[in-house]
Amino acid sequence: MISLNLKLPMNMQVLKVMMLDTVSLGSLSLLYFIHIVLSGMVAAVGSHLLRLRYKDRILQSFLFILLFNIALPFIGYLFSIWLIYYLLYIKYAKILRNTKSINMEELDQEFPTVKRAFGEGSMVDLMGNTLAPQELRMKALSAMADNMTQKNVALIKNSLSEKDDEIRLYSFSLIDKMEHGINNKIHEASIRHQHALSPELRLAAARELAFLYWEMIYFDLSDDILKNFLIEKSFQYAKLVFKENMSDTGINILLGKIYLERELYEEATTQFIIAIESGIENAYIVPYLAELYYNRGNYRSIRSMLSMVDSVGLNATMHPVLEQWRQHG
Amino acid sequence: MAKYIRRSDEVDIMIMGEGTYPYIRGGVSSWIHQLLVGLSEFKFGITFLGSREEDYEGILYDLPDNLVHLEVHYMFDDEHKLPHKRKGNEEAMKIIQDLYGFFKHKKDAIPKQMHDINFYMEKMPYEDFLFSDKAWSFIEEKYKENCPDISFIDYFWTVRNIHKPIWKLAEIVTYMPHVKLLHSPSTGYAGFLATLAAYDKKIPFLLTEHGIYTRERKIDMLTADWIDFKKPTLLKQPEESNYIQGMWVKFFERIGEFAYIKADSILSLYSGARTIQIKFGAPEEKTRIIPNAVDVDGLNALLDKRPKGVPKVITLIGRVVSIKDIKTFIRAMRITINEIPEAEAWIVGPMDEDEEYASECQNMAESLGIEKNVKFLGFQNIKEILPLSGLQTLTSISEGMPLVILEGFAAGVPCIATDVGSCYDLIKGGLDEEDIALGSAGEITSIANPSALAQEYIKYLTDEVLWKKAQKVALKRVDKYYRQESFLGAYRDLYNEKMKPWPE
């Protein structure tokens, strides 16, 4: 191998002499001769192999690989120039540090604030008051439409018997739209369940169906005659999933709720206990278990059950119940 | 581009129809057909306003000979070519500012340019309003002023889509044949067209409302999925409404008022509808009620075709759309079939208006296991259906004055209906003391209440004495108050009174 002595002398004259001594034109020519020969050999092997696929392009393949290899050092020089340019001018995205504190002064002076419009708990009064102005009740309905919770859906359903056409029609449209949305999802999930390409997909669709049917019951979107039918449907699909995966916490809780609804307390207890054992937070299950004990007349257990989880008391609905049982239970 | 199915230069009465006769079946279409056939001494014209050509199957009625003119316009057909870049007219933009004030603030009076055809055709042509620099600046300014927190694209396209039909309507007026009287069966775009024509040609204009268009559009807009309100929920005031929805609602309210102010007579089908018209701005002194009516003698002939006893068939005649609440009927049938296993539900009406809803209903019947009892028959000749029906039902959430109840009564079929529109008056009697004294021709229930409906179905299908009593009342009531002759007579008198003679 040719070694290049790169120790630089002090003046250019000496440098020129040394360069000619150590890296002569002959050795440079030899270097490039060897590079061309090696490139030729690589090109010959390469084009020979490529002929299996590109029969009529042997010469083109050979020439391409040869020229590519010969030009490689020059490509390297060009790439290096571009790389230096790139590194000099690249703009990096700003990284925010110390994001724990917010400079309030930087915020707009007119930061939007959301004010109360109806007052706490006023929706129930407003929607039940036929003497309230229609416009205000329509606004209340519109506000509830943005937040279709179980309680709001119940209030909207009550408005279906309104004498005022506009309120009645709007309430109906909201309920109909919600029911339509769930029905559509049920329809799509049923198709996926029927035509699933693998057992996993079939099971996923069954799980979805179990929850969708339960959603109809939860929002009380069906009347009593259909309720049993929907519970049965939800139960069928939940059971299918349970058979395959007994520790699916969501399904355990759903089955617990279904058994509770059907007053099958032993089975409901089993499902809730499986859910707790699966590692779900007690606070989520305890109210159901407390309800279950209450329905069975096992009042003594309720107090100890509720005292197990303090966080239940943070729930506005559960707080008075908890206090009642603490003081008088 | 207008399409002329029939063309005449001289028309006695021009009816403006928005998405109705002769391309759509339904209550309003039947009413128009009834007028055309019943008042054959008048030469009628129809200006049909549709959405897009592909939305309609074709003419669904046998057109009578006295319909001498039928022109068809599609409001939302695609634009094929765009105009060149333009600056716009400064003066006309000031008028647009006034019009904007009228649409935005209820207290502003109607600017006189709004009913001046020249304004639309010359001062502020369609291209200037939709494509000029000045219009763009105006839209941009109003956007920043009113709703900077919603998408500008949504605002811009709403402004365009709401107003675009107005120029089409102004163009229709320009090419309208000689007409003696204008009659619109609704407010909305049809009412606006009639109002423009009435101002421009100085001809009288009658407005008959079946449903209350403004209210129906308001509900459509409030629940529309395609109007997306993108403001983050936590930054939204509880009572804050969707600005885009508000734009549509205000637009329809204002053009409704525009029609009410110009119309010579504002007609409704029953007293409840008249009250709502007054609430929406109709001057009370112009309002009047002309109830629907049917060919009593023709339908009475069907009594001979009835089988002995009460057929266990409950028939709902109407379009399969959500406002008819067909799902409640199907649920009620589930309860009814538990008691009367052979009971059948016949749903008679077109299913293509809301195909998704129709299939949801069919799925529901199937999932409740009553698919053999619930039959979706599509459009049928009611003369073949009514003699085989034990009861007629309507489970609607909203109705005007349903012709089908009257047709059922004339054919001897009692009705169980929800308490909407004039159903109570039709079934229990409400026109006068004598009407009330006649008794009940069926029963009324609250809406979306399958148990109450089922209870009534079971009661009437199992108690033949009660059923016969209701049939007797139905036949008497329709014969006394809802005969076609009195309906046609009222319109004949009104047409003759209002019609402007041809100019000498």
Side-chain angles (χ1 to χ4, degrees), chain B residues 207 209 259-261 263-268 277 282-283 286-288:
Chain B
L207 172 67
E209 282 200 280
Y260 284 149
I261 288 166
D264 292 81
S265 285
I266 302 166
L267 305 151
S268 54
Q277 285 177 327
K286 287 189 195 175
T287 57
R288 185 181 157 182

Side-chain angles (χ1 to χ4, degrees), chain A residues 4 28 31-32 35 68-86:
Chain A
L4 295 174
L28 262 177
L31 172 69
Y32 273 96
H35 177 61
F68 179 74
N69 276 282
I70 291 170
L72 259 181
F74 302 102
I75 293 169
Y77 304 147
L78 291 172
F79 179 73
S80 300
I81 292 164
W82 176 83
L83 192 66
I84 292 159
Y85 173 83
Y86 176 78

Side-chain angles (χ1 to χ4, degrees), chain A residues 45-114:
Chain A
V45 174
S47 57
H48 180 71
L49 291 172
L50 286 173
R51 109 191 129 80
L52 299 170
R53 189 159 180 190
Y54 305 100
K55 282 178 187 169
D56 51 347
R57 294 187 183 175
I58 299 170
L59 186 62
Q60 287 97 319
S61 303
F62 176 80
L63 287 173
F64 173 75
I65 299 168
L66 177 70
L67 292 173
F68 179 74
N69 276 282
I70 291 170
L72 259 181
F74 302 102
I75 293 169
Y77 304 147
L78 291 172
F79 179 73
S80 300
I81 292 164
W82 176 83
L83 192 66
I84 292 159
Y85 173 83
Y86 176 78
L87 290 171
L88 272 174
Y89 292 100
I90 184 178
K91 283 181 182 167
Y92 292 103
K94 284 181 185 171
I95 298 166
L96 291 174
R97 296 184 197 284
N98 194 22
T99 50
K100 282 181 184 167
S101 62
I102 298 171
N103 183 0
M104 295 305 286
E105 285 172 13
E106 282 179 7
L107 291 174
D108 193 341
Q109 291 292 309
E110 290 173 14
F111 190 80
T113 50
V114 178

Side-chain angles (χ1 to χ4, degrees), chain B residues 139-329:
Chain B
I139 292 171
E140 198 183 0
E141 182 196 320
K142 293 300 161 199
Y143 166 75
K144 285 178 184 164
E145 193 180 301
N146 296 315
C147 52
D149 45 5
I150 65 166
S151 149
F152 178 71
I153 294 173
D154 287 351
Y155 179 79
F156 175 74
W157 284 102
T158 304
V159 171
R160 281 179 69 105
N161 290 335
I162 286 180
H163 299 99
K164 196 175 139 185
I166 289 179
W167 274 267
K168 288 210 174 185
L169 299 177
E171 198 182 342
I172 296 170
V173 174
T174 315
Y175 298 108
M176 192 176 275
H178 294 296
V179 170
K180 288 182 184 171
L181 179 72
L182 298 154
H183 193 175
S184 172
S186 70
T187 56
Y189 290 119
F192 187 80
L193 172 64
T195 312
L196 275 185
Y199 274 116
D200 187 62
K201 314 267 182 204
K202 296 182 176 55
I203 30 179
F205 157 39
L206 302 181
L207 172 67
T208 302
E209 282 200 280
H210 292 251
I212 306 295
Y213 185 97
T214 311
R215 189 187 64 192
E216 284 163 13
R217 291 297 77 74
K218 188 172 176 181
I219 302 297
D220 285 350
M221 293 302 150
L222 288 173
T223 50
D225 280 328
W226 52 270
I227 304 173
D228 197 6
F229 195 25
K230 293 189 177 73
K231 193 165 181 179
T233 312
L234 286 175
L235 295 181
K236 208 177 130 192
Q237 305 296 338
E239 82 289 9
E240 191 174 347
S241 58
N242 182 328
Y243 193 84
I244 302 276
Q245 281 175 350
M247 283 168 76
W248 282 99
V249 171
K250 272 183 192 160
F251 175 78
F252 286 121
E253 278 178 1
R254 292 298 173 278
I255 61 171
E257 271 173 50
F258 186 50
Y260 284 149
I261 288 166
K262 182 59 188 165
D264 292 81
S265 285
I266 302 166
L267 305 151
S268 54
L269 307 182
Y270 63 102
S271 61
R274 181 172 172 254
T275 311
I276 301 168
Q277 285 177 327
I278 295 166
K279 187 187 145 198
F280 274 107
E284 195 173 346
E285 64 281 5
K286 287 189 195 175
T287 57
R288 185 181 157 182
I289 298 167
I290 298 183
N292 274 342
V294 290
D295 173 16
V296 175
D297 299 332
L299 288 159
N300 274 172
L302 300 177
L303 286 168
D304 299 336
K305 292 185 182 175
R306 292 196 70 81
K308 249 189 170 181
V310 182
K312 303 288 185 277
V313 174
I314 305 160
T315 302
L316 188 152
I317 302 171
R319 295 164 297 135
V320 183
V321 291
S322 73
I323 205 147
K324 301 280 176 191
D325 200 7
I326 309 288
K327 286 193 277 187
T328 288
F329 177 43

